[in-house]
Amino acid sequence: MQMKYQYNLLLFLVLMLSCTSGSKRNDLYYQDQGEIFTTGYNIKYAYNRSLKEDIVAELNRFDMSLNPFKENSIITKVNRNEPVELDSFFLKVFRRSEEISRTTGGKFDITVSPLINAWGFGFQNMDTITPEIIDSLKDFVGYEKISVDAGGNIVKTDPRVQINTSAIAKGYACDVIADLLESYGIENYMVEIGGEIAAKGVNDKGDCWRIGIDKPIDDVTGMLHNLQAVLSLCNKSLATSGNYRNYYIKEGKKYAHTIDPHTGYPAQLDILGATVIADDCMTADAYATAFMAMGLEQSVETAKQIPGLHYYFIYEKPDGSLGIECSEGFEQFFVKKDDA
């Protein structure tokens, strides 16, 4: 259920280079870029100096907590069943993941990595997967099989249980950097990490931040980008997930890259792209992923239970044409064509 292609799904960011006055303190807009978590980040903010060193230090701290590919990170030690003290980053992501797993009936599940790994990158192991393999892996997949006790210790029902928080961690990282910027009194910023976005205030033109949503195009290269819509984001966070650039076809049916934790197989569902807007990016990130495994009808019903959550779904109709399903009030985020 991880393995998101949000870079390909979303982003056309309308970003201007720094050195333009914008805030009421006549601060400059600085733009810091780099790479973290094997993806890129792009952070723009109005302040009296660059905070890149502080930003990089905070991202590295985060990386040492939740990067499952880092040898000595906290999450790696949890997966190896080694004694480790859980930090605030890990605990917040883990507890929020538990909550969202319950809300989505287990369609969001940070223990699903063994199934994802079994299928292989780009479904390279598709022809060797058997029902027996899937059933054996499902014995130690399930969010209810791992917990944190009152003493702050990890408890597993099976030592083989492993977690990967990539479907929620980039969103939370945006929140973490947003908190860092706000600790300096910064009121105008846009934080983008791997396609997830936290935004506050206005850009250097005095407008809400402009975010583009790509049209779903069957383009495995990820090079073609035609805009479906342009959104205006003020004091909100946004995340996207999509299936239309990463799928396989078997016996005439298209299967998404999203793994259904219940079945252990790629989901064959109707949503091609999910854009979610919420008050915090961790929430937006997790639900954008979950909705891809839930399908249109269940996603719409679940979204109604979550205060402040807005969605924009691009889905495939039975005749193969595209449809749009938006939450009530989503039109407030659209930028008029004349202003885009």
Side-chain angles (χ1 to χ4, degrees), residues 66-337:
L66 289 164
N67 187 340
F69 305 107
K70 213 168 190 70
E71 180 68 18
N72 293 313
S73 68
I74 290 174
I75 194 171
T76 296
K77 291 179 180 179
V78 167
N79 287 338
R80 291 199 302 243
N81 301 308
E82 297 176 4
V84 62
E85 183 177 350
L86 307 179
D87 67 359
S88 60
F89 292 145
F90 184 97
L91 289 170
K92 188 163 185 177
V93 163
F94 187 87
R95 286 167 177 158
R96 189 75 176 108
S97 296
E98 283 186 313
E99 179 185 337
I100 294 172
S101 292
R102 289 191 292 268
T103 302
T104 61
K107 291 290 187 175
F108 179 85
D109 193 330
I110 61 174
T111 71
V112 78
S113 287
L115 290 167
I116 294 173
N117 295 336
W119 283 95
F121 181 78
F123 310 107
Q124 62 187 17
N125 302 331
M126 180 179 64
D127 294 332
T128 61
I129 287 289
T130 65
E132 291 75 20
I133 291 174
I134 297 299
D135 287 343
S136 66
L137 293 174
K138 285 170 64 178
D139 285 342
F140 51 96
V141 169
Y143 74 93
E144 70 285 352
K145 296 176 181 178
I146 183 170
S147 59
V148 175
D149 65 18
N153 302 303
I154 286 288
V155 179
K156 299 180 181 182
T157 62
D158 188 313
R160 296 174 295 173
V161 173
Q162 296 195 346
I163 58 175
N164 184 318
T165 60
S166 62
I168 189 172
K170 286 192 291 294
Y172 180 42
C174 290
D175 295 332
V176 167
I177 298 304
D179 289 343
L180 172 68
L181 297 178
E182 291 190 22
S183 73
Y184 285 92
I186 294 173
E187 299 176 351
N188 300 300
Y189 62 77
M190 190 283 305
V191 179
E192 180 263 322
I193 301 176
E196 321 302 11
I197 297 170
K200 184 177 181 180
V202 296
N203 62 21
D204 46 8
K205 291 186 175 182
D207 299 321
C208 290
W209 300 92
R210 304 297 172 85
I211 312 298
I213 301 175
D214 278 357
K215 288 182 179 179
I217 301 170
D218 282 345
D219 167 40
V220 294
T221 69
M223 300 298 292
L224 299 179
H225 296 276
N226 294 322
L227 288 182
Q228 175 80 24
V230 179
L231 304 182
S232 176
L233 208 63
C234 269
N235 306 326
K236 290 287 183 181
S237 294
L238 177 150
T240 66
S241 187
N243 283 330
Y244 56 86
R245 294 187 194 272
N246 191 19
Y247 59 85
Y248 73 89
I249 297 174
K250 186 175 182 179
E251 297 176 356
K253 295 180 180 180
K254 185 184 291 186
Y255 291 85
H257 72 271
T258 303
I259 302 297
D260 186 331
H262 291 173
T263 66
Y265 288 85
Q268 187 200 356
L269 295 171
D270 42 13
I271 296 180
L272 301 177
T275 296
V276 176
I277 295 175
D279 291 334
D280 64 276
C281 202
M282 178 162 54
T283 296
D285 192 7
Y287 279 107
T289 303
F291 290 152
M292 301 308 301
M294 296 171 71
L296 185 63
E297 185 175 346
Q298 188 180 358
S299 295
V300 169
E301 290 304 310
T302 299
K304 292 177 181 177
Q305 306 171 31
I306 307 160
L309 187 139
H310 303 270
Y311 60 81
Y312 181 95
F313 297 146
I314 303 173
Y315 68 95
E316 187 172 32
K317 297 179 180 180
D319 63 2
S321 62
L322 298 183
I324 302 294
E325 182 77 22
C326 300
S327 55
E328 184 177 354
F330 195 91
E331 61 273 6
Q332 67 183 290
F333 300 109
F334 288 124
V335 175
K336 295 179 181 179
K337 288 187 178 180

